Structure formats: C-alpha cells, structure tokens
Amino acid sequence: MGDFNCILRLDEEKGGLEPRTSTINEFSDWMNDNNLFEADFLGTKFTWTNGQSGSHRIISMLDRAVINAAWLAKFDNWRFHGSLDFIFTYKLKRLKGVIKEWNLTAFGNIHSKLKQDQLRFESAALCSDEDPNDVSKLNLMKDVMARLSETRLQHNSMLKQKERNQWLVEGSSNATFFHNSIRIRRSSNTISELTDSDGLIISDYDQLHDHVVQFYEDKFNVNESDLDASLFDYEHVSISEEESLVMDRIPTPDKIKQAVFDLGADSAPGPDGFSGCFYRHCWDIINEYLTKAINFVGILVRFQMG
C-alpha cells in the first residue's frame, strides 16, 4: 500500500503528456507475475495533482493498495480508506489549504494591507486638515482610521502568536515589542560561535558547519567501546502495577477534551498549524475524528509493546 508512482490504466491520468504504455505494461506484468490485484477503495479516484490549473493541471492515481487471494479470503469486506490517525491529519491538511485561500480572499497579505491602510489614513488626514470645516472629509478620515485600527489588531494578533508570549493581557497592542521579541528568540536559537577541542573560538559560518559535521562523524563512527556493567547496577523506585495500568489506559473522551481545552487559546500553532483556539472553537466538529485518532494510536502502541 502506498505511492507506486505509476498508473495501471490510461484513464487513471488526465492532463500532461500521454502516459507511456511500456511503463503501464511493466506494472501490469509485475502484478500478474506475483498474483496480485487491486484492493477496493473509497473516496476520490485521483490521489495526486501537480497543484496547477487550466491546461497545466495534471491529476493521477498513483496511490493504491494491492492484495493477493489469501488476503481477500481472510478479509473479504476490507476496504482501503486510510487509518484513523491518517484520516484526522489528512482532514486538517485539506482544511489548512482552504483556510489559506480564505485568508487571502478575506484579509489578503496583512503586511501589505497594513501599509496600504496607513497610507490611506495619512492621505485622508491631510485632506481633512486642509479643509477642517468639511464634515464629509472628516467622516472619511474616521472611517479610514477605524479600518486601520482593525488591520493593526489583526497584525498584532498574528505577531502575538508568533512571539509566543502567554502573559500579555487581552487588548495589549505593541507591534514594536512583538517584533523585537521575535528577533530576540530567533537570535537566541542561532549558533554564532563554538569552541573547539583546542580551546579556539570558531565564528566563521563555513568553519562552524564543518566543525559540527566533523564532531558528529567522530562521535558516531568510532569503534564501540566496552561498557562497564556496574553502571547499570542501580536500584531506583519503580511505579506500581496499578500505576503502570493507568499509564497504558486509553484516555476517555472527557480526558481528551480536558487536555485540548487546557491548550492556550492564543498559543503559537503546533506542528499541524492550528492553535488552541481552533480546537476549542471547532470541538463539536472535530472531536469525533480526534478521539478516534488518539485511541487508534494508543491501541497501536499497546499492541507494539506487547
């Protein structure tokens, strides 16, 4: 099961160059020689796209599951629709693409929009100052100022998540502080210099690169040394059998919900790209898939650990 990077029939690809029949025949011969055939699957027929549109768009069926007669005899009602942990992450991935398109449509580039709104406000303010008695120009300046304030709020909200400060109260607004905090964090994560085994300080980028690579090559390519068995002769307090069972217990839906809602609502997004606010706000929609994914992983881990 996976990406075979090849189609099996001509109708499994649309767009682009005409598929090579020799490659299709080789794939088909390989399956016949090994007594394999395709498994049924649910969902869309095409599993890959080049992400383009119009005449440049290409869609293909590159992912499939192949089985033999023995598998089918044992699992006659089996269908290929993805594991539970894959389903949830895949749904989030699809949602992320939709949200990005919506963000560009509804808000646009926030940095560019902020500059444009600032210029509009300066122009409206100058126009109103030239004729202070013109109420229409004054109202126009107020409208532009309100729009600028809303854009600044959106910009600061984005910076707050990137900066990851949790102690700022609601309504705090200081873009300069956020920018400086982000720069400081990035700077602290950068290796600017190292000291080699001779006590010399290395600050040149290329020399730092070579030194780090050489360090780990020397560390992991040396011959294995004899370990002193007495190092492992250490008594420590072990958890009880009851505590061990608790650790292996599959979490209940209430426990999962509690853990999710303990996430900071305005915290920086995790590896999946979504913050705690998303999980809270959309809990009624996503909780079923998330709970099934967590339970599936928990059962899988317990199975692998015996």
Side-chain angles (χ1 to χ4, degrees):
M1 181 174 64
D3 181 5
F4 287 83
N5 199 29
C6 181
I7 62 175
L8 196 57
R9 288 170 288 273
L10 290 175
D11 62 352
E12 292 180 350
E13 182 171 300
K14 293 184 179 181
L17 300 176
E18 187 73 17
R20 294 171 53 188
T21 55
S22 59
T23 304
I24 296 176
N25 292 335
E26 288 179 1
F27 190 15
S28 179
D29 292 341
W30 172 78
M31 292 187 62
N32 292 332
D33 293 341
N34 292 277
N35 297 319
L36 299 172
F37 51 92
E38 290 182 274
D40 293 338
F41 63 92
L42 303 176
T44 180
K45 174 181 178 180
F46 301 102
T47 62
W48 176 86
T49 176
N50 62 350
Q52 299 187 27
S53 59
S55 60
H56 300 287
R57 181 173 175 80
I58 303 175
I59 53 177
S60 301
M61 180 180 175
L62 302 182
D63 301 88
R64 67 184 77 239
V66 295
I67 58 178
N68 56 17
W71 175 276
L72 185 60
K74 187 172 183 178
F75 306 102
D76 55 344
N77 291 323
W78 184 81
R79 293 294 184 272
F80 175 39
H81 57 81
S83 60
L84 295 175
D85 58 333
F86 171 80
I87 291 174
F88 181 73
T89 55
Y90 182 71
K91 285 180 178 292
L92 288 184
K93 183 178 179 180
R94 290 180 58 188
L95 177 62
K96 188 184 299 183
V98 175
I99 290 179
K100 285 183 178 179
E101 293 182 4
W102 169 79
N103 179 60
L104 291 176
T105 303
F107 301 104
N109 186 312
I110 190 65
H111 299 287
S112 175
K113 185 178 179 181
L114 180 60
K115 291 181 180 179
Q116 293 175 2
D117 287 348
Q118 287 174 337
L119 291 175
R120 291 193 186 99
F121 173 72
E122 292 173 2
S123 177
L126 289 174
C127 185
S128 178
D129 291 344
E130 292 175 356
D131 191 0
N133 296 323
D134 192 327
V135 178
S136 61
K137 292 182 179 181
L138 178 62
N139 291 334
L140 177 62
M141 184 192 70
K142 290 181 178 179
D143 292 340
V144 174
M145 183 171 61
R147 188 186 311 168
L148 174 60
S149 299
E150 179 65 24
T151 305
R152 283 175 174 169
L153 183 63
Q154 296 171 4
H155 183 244
N156 289 338
S157 177
M158 178 194 68
L159 290 176
K160 182 179 179 181
Q161 285 194 345
K162 287 188 175 181
E163 198 280 326
R164 301 179 184 176
N165 263 318
Q166 301 296 322
W167 52 267
L168 293 174
V169 296
E170 289 294 330
S172 295
S173 177
N174 192 330
T176 302
F177 168 76
F178 288 133
H179 277 294
N180 289 336
S181 299
I182 293 172
R183 293 190 186 100
I184 292 172
R185 193 181 73 250
R186 288 177 177 172
S187 176
S188 64
N189 292 335
T190 302
I191 299 177
S192 57
E193 61 180 32
L194 291 172
T195 304
D196 63 11
S197 57
D198 297 327
L200 300 176
I201 297 178
I202 304 173
S203 57
D204 180 74
Y205 177 81
D206 293 332
Q207 293 180 358
L208 281 171
H209 172 272
D210 295 339
H211 175 72
V212 172
V213 173
Q214 188 63 46
F215 173 82
Y216 284 102
E217 285 182 348
D218 295 340
K219 181 179 180 66
F220 294 109
N221 290 337
V222 296
N223 296 327
E224 294 186 6
S225 58
D226 296 331
L227 297 178
D228 185 359
S230 62
L231 294 174
F232 301 94
D233 187 14
Y234 176 78
E235 294 185 1
H236 58 85
V237 179
S238 300
I239 62 175
S240 64
E241 183 177 352
E242 182 179 356
E243 292 171 329
S244 178
L245 293 175
V246 172
M247 293 180 63
D248 291 339
R249 187 177 300 162
I250 302 298
T252 64
D254 290 337
K255 288 288 186 180
I256 295 175
K257 181 179 180 179
Q258 179 181 351
V260 169
F261 277 70
D262 284 343
L263 296 172
D266 295 324
S267 60
D272 58 9
F274 293 92
S275 64
C277 180
F278 164 79
Y279 281 90
R280 291 186 184 184
H281 186 74
C282 302
W283 179 251
D284 292 338
I285 301 174
I286 67 174
N287 75 87
E288 178 184 354
Y289 297 101
L290 177 60
T291 302
K292 287 182 178 179
I294 293 175
N295 289 340
F296 175 82
V297 174
I299 294 173
L300 185 63
V301 170
R302 291 180 62 183
F303 175 78
Q304 291 176 343
M305 296 180 63

